[in-house]
Amino acid sequence: MGDSIIGRCAFLGALCCAIAGVHFVSKKRSHPLPPGPPAGSMLLGHYGQMPWGSPVTVFREWAKKYGDVVYLRCFGQPYIVLDSAEAATELLEKQSAIFSSRPNTMVYKLMGWDPDVVFLPYGPHFRKQRKIFQTSFSPQACVEFQPMQLQNARILVHGLMENQGDSVQLLNRFTIALAIGIAYGHQILSADDEYIKVIQDSSTALSYGGMPAGTLVDYFPVLQYFPSWFPGTHYVNVAREWKWAVRKMIEWPYEVVLKNIAEGSARPCFVVNQLEAACKDVLTSDEHEDIRTAAAVIYSAGSDTTSFTLQKFFLAMLLYPEVQKKGQDEVDQVVGADRLPSFEDRDSLPFVYCIIQELLRWHPVAPLAVPHCSTEECVYKGMRIPKGSYVFPNTESMSLDDNVYTNPSEFNPSRFLPPSEGGKGEPQFEPAFGFGRRVCPGKHLALANIWAVVSTVLATLQIGKSSDETGREITPSGKFNIGFTSCPKEFCCSVVGRPNRARDLVRELVVKVSS
Ligand code: HEM
């Protein structure tokens, strides 16, 4: 008797839950999708309208028309574009349990870029890889890299003073040298170093890889099994053709470190630290692959982003000479002429800090961050965001929000100073490093890399306009190439040593390192 009453109660309870569940699901389903432009066709959705060439500007225009959450669909795959910091924070940060995965990037996998933490889906493998980065590049851990950062900044400045190449070439060499030094303990001193060649080949391979998660093979992975002449297999063929370059970049420097360890000549570096932390003599092949891919990510995620930010620095100093002068005055006052800036000066140089914050805001180098992917359906402001949506935060658009930033197109580091110091007290631009559980784990390393260059350049160099053959000054357009990354359009500038002792100090220090 008792049992049957309990049984009936349990049955009724289960029925109520089921009804409530169905009601909840249907209520959720009844929410409309976010607005967006009309789809071109039922089957392709917005595929034909997707602005792969200049996504940022077109996404911004659509957002102006449809609102700060825009819905698109390609071959049934939902895309969400977030145009405001508010929407990005509400979804990617506050609901990070749902919005922390990544789209499937089949072309990168076929190229041999697996398991790259940047594109790993959310799960145990991702968390393990991510932890390696968070521990290795925490603010405390980054202190270890400061001597290397200053040394490479001085080598860069010396190269610029001696006209060893144009500024873009030398900035690229600086960022590669730092990544290689940190990952493998190797110091690059010349442009013909073998590491540079290996890295350039892999960059070429990645530049042919198409839009991450946006090629036909990403939508239809089955295409990888079709013959190379079959329509739609272009990126499968590219991935196969260039896989050697990506694999060489991942495997060769790692093998060199293993050999150096065996010979007792390995220098302290990320790979050595990871092998020591593994606390075993024999690692499985998966464990080796995890460490060598993570080491390669230090370069692949950190080099272009840092190099583009520094290119912006040179452009901004050229276009805004009053900012350069203010930065130089601050460095001269605090550091003096008898030594070069070091990390102990960091807190005493607030305007240099503002210059770096403005470099992160002014045309963010990752204008659409890296797309996130949602693992559950959810409702935001009455709009249904389907499970499996690819979510693009439009950080370029957020940086131009004139409700937050006055004259947002202008490069004005003083905007961050408090009003008592003649500034506007505007907030730092947090979206530059992304959102939630996928926020850039190299942020502290990146900020220190940039600080080393900005402070050393302000102390030692004068950046100005260059002249043409007739002696007329050339003013750069100040325009940017904005795709899935953003960097200044090619520009020329004149870089000369400032007439001070700091310039000689750089020369002395670099000659010592090279010999
Ligand atoms: C100015 C320099 C840099 C900028 C502006 C930058 C920006 C970003 C952005 C926007 C993301 C995507 C975040 C998201 O999905 O929400 C990201 C991810 C990432 N960055 Fe950086 N980054 C910089 C430098 C570096 C450096 C030096 C490293 C080297 C350790 C690095 C390592 C990574 C990694 C591993 C990820 C993937 C994180 C994940 O998927 O969980 N970044 N970065």
Side-chain angles (χ1 to χ4, degrees):
M1 168 78 177
D3 273 1
S4 87
I5 289 176
I6 291 169
R8 273 182 219 170
C9 288
F11 175 74
L12 277 175
L15 193 65
C16 289
C17 286
I19 292 170
V22 169
H23 179 68
F24 179 69
V25 169
S26 63
K27 199 166 165 222
K28 260 172 97 181
R29 287 250 176 263
S30 70
H31 285 95
L33 291 162
S41 85
M42 266 297 279
L43 181 68
L44 306 186
H46 296 87
Y47 188 72
Q49 294 136 281
M50 276 303 245
W52 301 128
S54 55
V56 173
T57 327
V58 179
F59 284 170
R60 187 164 157 75
E61 276 159 21
W62 283 342
K64 279 190 188 138
K65 197 159 172 195
Y66 300 104
D68 62 350
V69 182
V70 173
Y71 174 79
L72 304 160
R73 177 175 56 84
C74 295
F75 299 108
Q77 169 60 53
Y79 286 77
I80 302 287
V81 182
L82 304 175
D83 197 70
S84 70
E86 185 204 349
T89 309
E90 286 299 320
L91 294 173
L92 307 184
E93 305 227 333
K94 297 198 182 154
Q95 301 215 48
S96 61
I98 295 180
F99 286 95
S100 293
S101 204
R102 292 285 194 215
N104 186 16
T105 46
M106 189 46 79
V107 176
Y108 281 29
K109 278 188 195 144
L110 292 173
M111 272 190 181
W113 257 122
D114 202 20
D116 172 353
V117 64
V118 182
F119 288 109
L120 273 178
Y122 197 78
H125 196 180
F126 161 74
R127 282 198 296 273
K128 186 170 156 232
Q129 284 284 79
R130 169 109 194 162
K131 199 168 162 212
I132 295 180
F133 278 87
Q134 273 169 328
T135 320
S136 307
F137 302 112
S138 68
Q140 300 82 334
C142 281
V143 173
E144 181 193 336
F145 309 122
Q146 291 178 352
M148 195 191 293
Q149 287 162 326
L150 289 179
Q151 178 168 304
N152 280 288
R154 290 161 190 178
I155 293 175
L156 163 72
V157 162
H158 183 251
L160 288 162
M161 289 194 308
E162 303 284 310
N163 281 324
Q164 288 173 359
D166 69 37
S167 48
V168 171
Q169 267 172 337
L170 293 172
L171 287 172
N172 285 340
R173 201 212 289 178
F174 164 80
T175 52
I176 293 175
L178 262 183
I180 296 300
I182 290 168
Y184 310 109
H186 172 80
Q187 174 67 59
I188 289 178
L189 289 171
S190 76
D192 45 23
D193 192 296
E194 176 145 21
Y195 282 81
I196 295 188
K197 169 92 182 71
V198 170
I199 273 178
Q200 278 167 348
D201 285 342
S202 71
S203 295
T204 309
L206 294 178
S207 70
Y208 292 153
M211 135 82 176
T215 69
L216 280 178
V217 66
D218 292 308
Y219 296 117
F220 305 108
V222 71
L223 282 172
Q224 66 185 288
Y225 304 110
F226 285 36
S228 59
W229 53 263
F230 197 83
T233 54
H234 170 73
Y235 286 106
V236 181
N237 302 331
V238 167
R240 290 206 179 112
E241 193 185 329
W242 282 94
K243 186 174 176 179
W244 66 269
V246 172
R247 289 313 302 172
K248 183 159 185 194
M249 197 267 266
I250 294 173
E251 287 166 17
W252 175 73
Y254 186 73
E255 293 303 323
V256 174
V257 178
L258 292 185
K259 187 168 148 277
N260 291 345
I261 293 175
E263 290 169 357
S265 61
R267 300 219 184 105
C269 63
F270 176 84
V271 168
V272 169
N273 290 348
Q274 292 310 310
L275 290 169
E276 280 172 7
C279 290
K280 325 184 186 168
D281 288 337
V282 182
L283 269 68
T284 64
S285 61
D286 280 354
E287 285 167 336
H288 276 300
E289 185 65 359
D290 271 352
I291 299 177
R292 64 182 160 218
T293 317
V297 168
I298 298 175
Y299 155 70
S300 69
S303 288
D304 279 355
T305 42
T306 308
S307 173
F308 294 166
T309 307
L310 293 171
Q311 289 176 35
K312 285 196 282 178
F313 170 61
F314 278 69
L315 180 64
M317 294 305 99
L318 174 57
L319 294 176
Y320 298 87
E322 68 289 356
V323 173
Q324 178 171 212
K325 172 86 177 57
K326 195 168 170 179
Q328 288 171 337
D329 287 349
E330 186 181 74
V331 173
D332 290 352
Q333 220 168 26
V334 172
V335 179
D338 295 328
R339 64 181 183 88
L340 292 168
S342 72
F343 279 91
E344 287 76 51
D345 300 313
R346 215 167 165 181
D347 292 343
S348 316
L349 296 170
F351 191 68
V352 170
Y353 180 80
C354 291
I355 292 180
I356 294 171
Q357 287 306 318
E358 185 67 337
L359 288 173
L360 295 170
R361 186 201 66 86
W362 193 57
H363 300 289
V365 293
L368 292 170
V370 178
H372 289 219
C373 177
S374 62
T375 45
E376 293 295 331
E377 182 170 303
C378 84
V379 173
Y380 172 65
K381 289 195 173 166
M383 296 171 283
R384 180 163 66 85
I385 314 283
K387 176 179 174 175
S389 295
Y390 293 175
V391 183
F392 287 89
N394 192 341
T395 59
E396 168 90 8
S397 219
M398 296 171 203
S399 75
L400 292 171
D401 186 344
D402 50 18
N403 293 316
V404 184
Y405 298 111
T406 351
N407 293 333
S409 312
E410 191 187 38
F411 185 85
N412 175 15
S414 297
R415 65 174 74 251
F416 303 115
L417 291 172
S420 58
E421 290 171 31
K424 297 192 164 58
E426 292 174 1
Q428 291 179 16
F429 185 62
E430 303 295 347
F433 287 106
F435 302 89
R437 297 184 196 182
R438 299 306 289 235
V439 74
C440 174
K443 175 179 171 174
H444 306 291
L445 180 69
L447 287 171
N449 290 344
I450 298 166
W451 190 89
V453 173
V454 169
S455 61
T456 311
V457 166
L458 288 172
T460 54
L461 298 179
Q462 184 67 39
I463 300 165
K465 290 181 186 169
S466 55
S467 309
D468 63 16
E469 318 78 61
T470 64
R472 248 207 331 254
E473 278 191 339
I474 307 169
T475 303
S477 70
K479 294 217 162 75
F480 282 71
N481 290 318
I482 306 181
F484 284 89
T485 54
S486 167
C487 70
K489 280 190 192 286
E490 199 178 328
F491 66 96
C492 43
C493 59
S494 123
V495 180
V496 289
R498 291 179 67 199
N500 61 15
R501 165 102 184 96
R503 190 183 61 170
D504 303 329
L505 282 173
V506 166
R507 210 164 267 145
E508 286 162 25
L509 283 165
V510 172
V511 170
K512 220 163 47 189
V513 172
S514 315
S515 55

